[in-house]
Amino acid sequence: MTHEEVTHLVAENMQILARLSRRLQSVFEYGSKKSRQQMSFLIRLYLVGRIKLKDFANREAISTAGLCGILRKLEQAKLVVRSDDANDHRDVWYEVSKSGKNLAEKLIDKRVTAISDLCKVLPKEEEDKLAESMRSVNEILKKMEVSNA
């Protein structure tokens, strides 16, 4: 397979995954008046753990100002805790609060259930094939992510 064919295949898969992802967006409306974007970042912060604002922004490819606005709203809702770095006053740390952790876990559970429902249409053989393929793709994508960070 040529580099161009791989590139087109990756782009096509990204589009399909984006469409499936949009179908799952209602999961983020779990009893919260917060936006889907805020709930998405709450989950991301939960998964990464305590992290500096600038490191989180770099990881998520978003400006620190944009991310700070999102996290400020989550902090006001008591879902995120902000703390200043004791060694460098320019650095700010963020982590999910206990209530943020509870909400993130509920959202993740709902997302897993929604994905499971999407997969129910697959015969067992195709589900197994998809799982094995996704494991391989995940390994490769992680290498691409690290190499292009």
Side-chain angles (χ1 to χ4, degrees):
M1 185 172 278
T2 68
H3 177 75
E4 186 175 307
E5 290 171 318
V6 170
T7 302
H8 286 293
L9 188 57
V10 169
E12 182 181 354
N13 284 332
M14 288 174 66
Q15 290 171 353
I16 294 167
L17 288 170
R19 285 193 303 270
L20 288 172
S21 180
R22 283 191 296 276
R23 287 186 189 173
L24 300 174
Q25 287 302 313
S26 63
V27 168
F28 293 114
E29 296 168 0
Y30 181 81
S32 174
K33 293 182 180 164
K34 296 295 167 196
S35 73
R36 292 175 183 169
Q37 183 185 43
Q38 290 168 10
M39 294 298 92
S40 179
F41 275 97
L42 176 69
I43 290 172
R44 293 173 189 174
L45 182 59
Y46 169 77
L47 294 172
V48 75
R50 187 172 188 261
I51 191 169
K52 290 181 184 178
L53 173 65
K54 64 183 176 184
D55 294 338
F56 193 32
N58 286 338
R59 183 181 194 281
E60 298 298 327
I62 186 173
S63 70
T64 53
L67 181 58
C68 190
I70 294 166
L71 294 175
R72 187 175 306 114
K73 290 176 183 175
L74 292 171
E75 182 184 9
Q76 290 168 350
K78 305 216 183 305
L79 298 171
V80 166
V81 177
R82 175 188 186 274
S83 59
D84 294 325
D85 189 305
N87 299 321
D88 187 347
H89 68 279
R90 297 169 296 178
D91 283 334
V92 178
W93 290 86
Y94 282 93
E95 62 187 313
V96 296
S97 66
K98 185 175 180 179
S99 59
K101 178 183 178 218
N102 290 337
L103 179 56
E105 288 172 350
K106 287 176 185 174
L107 291 169
I108 290 169
D109 287 345
K110 283 191 71 161
R111 182 170 63 179
V112 167
T113 299
I115 293 168
S116 175
D117 290 345
L118 283 176
C119 292
K120 285 181 180 175
V121 301
L122 298 175
K124 177 72 171 131
E125 315 80 56
E126 286 185 7
E127 187 176 343
D128 291 344
K129 187 176 179 181
L130 177 63
E132 185 56 38
S133 297
M134 293 301 287
R135 279 188 204 95
S136 297
V137 168
N138 285 347
E139 288 176 26
I140 294 166
L141 290 176
K142 286 175 184 175
K143 288 178 186 174
M144 288 172 63
E145 184 179 34
V146 168
S147 297
N148 292 293

